[in-house]
Amino acid sequence: ERAGMSRKIFVIGDSRTGRTKLDEFLKRAGFKSIHYFFKESGVAEPAHKDYHTNWVKLKNFIDTSGFDAFSDYPLRTFYKELFTHYPDAVFILTTRKDVETWRRSMEEFFAKFQIDLNIDKLADSYTRLNEEIRTLAKENNTIFCDVNIDDDSDENGRVLSMTLGLPEPLSLGWE
């Protein structure tokens, strides 16, 4: 645990929004961070199928794993519960500059694996969940950082460093 930082950090952006880069940033900043942790947490995929059981498993993992920072799925599925159960946590929403940039990135990435996406439905969900997360953060007066990974990586790093109370700003870097 970093000196002076006992709260949890949750990176709750969607796929293709730089969550891996955030995980690397958090590790460089001295946090014990884990990325895409279905297996480690015992949460069954898809996480929304057995919602309550999966939430209990996720919360137990967060509370007992020894990690400070968590990024990628299964977090995003349980964003409402995270806001409720961890009011002192730092929430970082990672996004793209616009939904079209995000859509293109999703299509290009998943095409490599011959995975067919319902991109219209996913784009609607991406937009809606991001707005719900921003609203919850505001309503709960949460420590919140909205990071558009298409913005300047030094500026993103400065804002993240400030939000996390780092002594010196770190650059976010690029994937």
Side-chain angles (χ1 to χ4, degrees):
E1 176 181 305
R2 280 187 45 82
M5 185 73 170
S6 60
R7 60 186 49 155
K8 301 291 184 196
I9 301 164
F10 300 119
V11 181
I12 52 176
D14 208 339
S15 299
R16 314 308 303 149
T17 63
R19 296 166 313 182
T20 302
K21 204 33 72 187
L22 255 291
D23 177 58
E24 292 166 6
F25 174 90
L26 291 164
K27 286 174 177 160
R28 278 189 291 124
F31 295 102
K32 192 169 181 212
S33 183
I34 189 169
H35 178 78
Y36 195 83
F37 50 96
F38 273 103
K39 194 172 78 195
E40 296 86 344
S41 66
V43 172
E45 291 186 72
H48 67 274
K49 272 286 193 317
D50 194 356
Y51 197 86
H52 179 72
T53 301
N54 280 330
W55 163 245
V56 170
K57 287 178 181 177
L58 176 61
K59 184 171 185 330
N60 182 58
F61 180 74
I62 290 167
D63 293 343
T64 63
S65 67
F67 287 98
D68 309 305
F70 305 82
S71 60
D72 209 326
Y73 284 95
L75 279 188
R76 189 166 165 98
T77 305
F78 300 100
Y79 70 93
K80 290 177 184 170
E81 288 79 3
L82 293 169
F83 276 103
T84 300
H85 290 273
Y86 301 95
D88 295 336
V90 175
F91 289 85
I92 301 169
L93 175 64
T94 53
T95 61
R96 300 304 299 262
K97 67 181 173 185
D98 55 46
V99 75
E100 283 311 311
T101 302
W102 178 80
R103 286 172 71 117
R104 262 192 319 278
S105 181
M106 288 287 287
E107 288 170 328
E108 289 167 11
F109 179 77
F110 285 97
K112 294 181 209 169
F113 306 100
Q114 287 82 45
I115 295 174
D116 199 20
L117 302 175
N118 181 341
I119 196 67
D120 292 332
K121 184 178 177 190
L122 289 173
D124 288 345
S125 176
Y126 168 82
T127 303
R128 181 179 48 79
L129 290 185
N130 287 347
E131 285 311 310
E132 287 177 17
I133 288 166
R134 289 180 183 110
T135 300
L136 269 176
K138 200 175 287 179
E139 287 172 353
N140 294 322
N141 201 21
T142 304
I143 300 170
F144 180 72
C145 193
D146 200 333
V147 176
N148 169 353
I149 63 139
D150 296 310
D151 287 348
D152 180 76
S153 65
D154 289 337
E155 179 57 20
N156 277 338
R158 191 188 65 71
V159 171
L160 283 163
S161 298
M162 237 174 48
T163 301
L164 295 168
L166 303 182
E168 307 254 325
L170 290 173
S171 177
L172 180 56
W174 295 98
E175 295 220 4

